[in-house]
Amino acid sequence: MSDKPLAVIVLAAGKGTRTKVSTPKVLLPLCGSPMLDYVLDAAAALEPRHTVVVLHHAKDVIEKTLGARFEREKTLIVDQGTPKGTGHAVRVALAALDESIGAPFAGDVLVIYGDTPLITPETLRELVEALHRPASGMQFGNGSPKAGAGASLLVSDEMPPEGMGRILRDEQGYFVGIREERDCSDDELDLIEVNTGFCAFQSAVLRDVLPDLESSNDQGEFYLTDAFALVLGRELEVETVFAHDPDEAVGVNDLRQLSEARWFMQERIHDAHMTRGVIIEDPATTVIERDVEIGPETHILPFTVIRNGVRIGAHCEVGPFTHLRVGATLEDEAEVGNFVEMKKSRLGHKSKAKHLTYLGDTTIGKRANIGAGTITANYDGRHKYETTIADGAFIGSGTIIVAPSKVGEGAITGAGAVVTKDVPEGEVYVGVPARRFDKKRGGEQAEGNEG
Ligand code: UD1
Ligand code: CA
């Protein structure tokens, strides 16, 4: 990358009216994280000197949700006031950046939108580098090589063009500007080359052209997209960079596009796991959110949902129809089967819970067998309580363990037992409420018998 300092401006002040839901658009979830998180991840990978996020609508909610991250990364948050277009947003951001460092920022400025979560750092890097490619000077017919481009822009001719700004070129194919769809003539609507929205500028050039933006368009807004024609007007080149993978540029304006973006992201997550030796039998019916760890040679069977942060060891089997929620951990060779839900629970090495089970706030040791229909009753309507099931325990079918409870090492519960107090190591407990079962007296119930 060029050694010039980089500032990234992330635009996220818009209302997102097209989603028709009250959640702020940039907080809509994608594979377990808000959209904006992905955009910020891609930006952070470039190690920018400054990151500026422009907010206005739902600013408080967004700051609350991502506050820890903003603080950690020393993000400069700017309130745009009433949003008056992407050009206005960048103007406000650049002014705030200059003010925060007490001097006009000198370097490269990368502008990205908060509603494009699939962008990768590689593409962003390429866009910034395009600013520093020795420009040809051809565009202006003077033949003299210039220091570099004034601006660069990520474009694509492989995306559905609906809703996108169209790239205008002259007869020789030189870029001349961008026209927003709603301002296009019928002929211009037929153009298939579109503006993905990602762009970079030399800071001095950006600062120079921003005051010249006008709002004489259908929406009466200051469009950043008009800045490129102004850059050309200063006899500086605009580098158009073609997106290698147009899916990266998918913008989310409505819920249909959100589901499309989610699917692209899901494919990336699946691919990463499969590359590391995880067997996903049917990716189309398997949801795996981000930040999930799965060891090699684990089988994930169809209709399984694995939420953010779950940890699964090697040689495990998960599914079909398993739901692993926050804080679920499976140690190596553990197995969970159909209609098993786990939350804040750990299943030890070689332990199994194969059918119709809820494990909440539960720690299970090694080689335990959790019978069909086992439920940990972890919630009394007010508080959550913990359950511990030690190594080698055998929980009979239909057991309910009312937490807090401990089942000792090698202990057994009979089918349908309702465990309301601790079951000591090696004992057998049966019935409702569960009582000690005396093996020597041929099944008579002995001391500890409350019934
Ligand atoms: C924009 C581009 C269009 C491009 C498309 C790609 C403009 C004028 N148009 O259109 O050429 O094809 O993205 O996805 O840039 N925002 C602000 N403040 C504002 C307005 C917008 O922060 O005053 C933010 C929005 O929150 C959003 C982003 O900028 O995150 C883009 O705005 P949006 O209204 O979605 O623009 P598009 O119509 O998609
Ligand atoms: Ca958009």
Side-chain angles (χ1 to χ4, degrees):
M1 249 226 4
S2 107
D3 47 13
K4 290 218 180 148
L6 174 67
V8 180
I9 298 176
V10 182
L11 303 191
K15 199 165 185 180
T17 42
R18 287 168 280 182
T19 66
K20 306 282 195 295
V21 293
S22 56
T23 307
K25 179 163 83 170
V26 295
L27 293 186
L28 286 171
L30 205 68
C31 300
S33 278
M35 271 205 301
L36 187 55
D37 243 336
Y38 294 92
V39 174
L40 294 170
D41 282 351
L46 271 62
E47 300 181 357
R49 178 86 52 96
H50 309 282
T51 304
V52 188
V53 176
V54 183
L55 299 175
H56 182 65
H57 284 292
K59 177 170 177 281
D60 294 348
V61 187
I62 297 168
E63 280 195 282
K64 209 171 151 199
T65 310
L66 293 167
R69 165 167 209 158
F70 290 153
E71 201 151 306
R72 192 172 63 240
E73 296 177 353
K74 299 192 172 59
T75 310
L76 179 61
I77 304 295
V78 183
D79 188 339
Q80 190 186 348
T82 307
K84 295 183 205 149
T86 48
H88 176 248
V90 170
R91 198 150 73 197
V92 172
L94 191 60
L97 175 61
D98 290 349
E99 198 189 308
S100 83
I101 58 182
F105 170 73
D108 300 332
V109 179
L110 174 66
V111 179
I112 56 184
Y113 297 163
D115 63 355
T116 49
L118 296 159
I119 195 66
T120 61
E122 293 71 37
T123 301
L124 294 180
R125 211 169 270 136
E126 201 182 327
L127 195 56
V128 175
E129 271 162 13
L131 285 177
H132 303 287
R133 252 180 242 152
S136 63
M138 293 283 286
Q139 195 159 1
F140 305 100
N142 57 14
S144 60
K146 293 219 167 70
S152 60
L153 178 66
L154 190 74
V155 301
S156 173
D157 53 12
E158 296 175 274
M159 297 178 72
E162 289 74 35
M164 313 280 280
R166 305 296 201 276
I167 302 298
L168 308 177
R169 293 186 183 270
D170 65 15
E171 297 91 70
Q172 289 141 299
Y174 287 122
F175 171 88
V176 293
I178 303 174
R179 186 102 66 225
E180 286 307 297
E181 182 170 72
R182 55 204 308 160
D183 301 305
C184 279
S185 68
D186 285 347
D187 281 351
E188 288 165 345
L189 283 176
D190 289 339
L191 296 170
I192 55 158
E193 191 187 345
V194 298
N195 169 32
T196 66
F198 300 93
C199 53
F201 297 85
Q202 294 189 29
S203 59
V205 175
L206 182 62
R207 197 175 287 106
D208 179 41
V209 298
L210 282 175
D212 291 357
L213 291 178
E214 289 172 12
S215 57
S216 51
N217 50 54
D218 185 56
Q219 294 195 95
E221 290 190 346
F222 297 94
Y223 289 160
L224 181 63
T225 43
D226 291 340
F228 302 97
L230 295 172
V231 172
L232 295 176
R234 307 293 201 266
E235 298 243 316
L236 289 165
E237 291 194 13
V238 174
E239 281 277 350
T240 50
V241 176
F242 280 84
H244 300 295
D245 175 5
D247 296 347
E248 277 189 32
V250 167
V252 173
N253 298 313
D254 57 36
L255 296 183
R256 197 189 48 78
Q257 287 167 325
L258 178 70
S259 74
E260 191 185 4
R262 195 208 72 82
W263 178 245
F264 286 137
M265 189 62 78
Q266 184 63 90
E267 276 191 312
R268 275 190 207 168
I269 293 172
H270 285 156
D271 286 356
H273 288 298
M274 290 190 270
T275 308
R276 288 192 287 263
V278 177
I279 299 151
I280 303 175
E281 186 176 302
D282 182 22
T285 61
T286 303
V287 170
I288 305 179
E289 292 187 342
R290 77 194 305 222
D291 300 327
V292 168
E293 271 174 27
I294 309 178
E297 294 194 54
T298 282
H299 284 241
I300 309 290
L301 302 177
F303 299 99
T304 288
V305 176
I306 303 174
R307 300 289 184 200
N308 216 333
V310 168
R311 300 281 172 263
I312 300 172
H315 298 273
C316 292
E317 188 174 292
V318 178
F321 298 98
T322 299
H323 188 190
L324 300 179
R325 294 167 53 204
V326 58
T329 300
L330 269 63
E331 288 175 14
D332 293 352
E333 297 177 65
E335 294 181 20
V336 281
N338 29 219
F339 306 106
V340 173
E341 173 182 346
M342 286 177 65
K343 183 222 74 174
K344 289 192 185 154
S345 291
R346 171 178 285 267
L347 192 58
H349 182 230
K350 288 197 167 172
S351 288
K352 295 179 185 181
K354 298 288 281 187
H355 336 266
L356 304 158
T357 288
Y358 174 62
L359 299 170
D361 306 296
T362 300
T363 305
I364 299 164
K366 301 187 200 32
R367 294 176 192 271
N369 187 77
I370 310 299
T374 298
I375 304 290
T376 54
N378 62 329
Y379 185 48
D380 63 4
R382 282 197 286 167
H383 302 287
K384 301 272 170 75
Y385 301 94
E386 295 189 0
T387 297
T388 309
I389 299 172
D391 294 352
F394 183 95
I395 308 298
S397 295
T399 296
I400 295 176
I401 302 175
V402 180
S405 275
K406 288 195 174 103
V407 177
E409 194 173 329
I412 296 174
T413 68
V418 175
V419 174
T420 55
K421 56 182 187 176
D422 294 354
V423 178
E425 186 181 327
E427 299 283 8
V428 182
Y429 267 49
V430 299
V432 183
R435 295 153 297 197
R436 181 164 171 269
F437 177 88
D438 189 343
K439 289 169 262 186
K440 277 185 238 130
R441 290 172 57 185
E444 292 290 306
Q445 280 148 5
E447 14 91 39
N449 186 343
E450 292 167 3

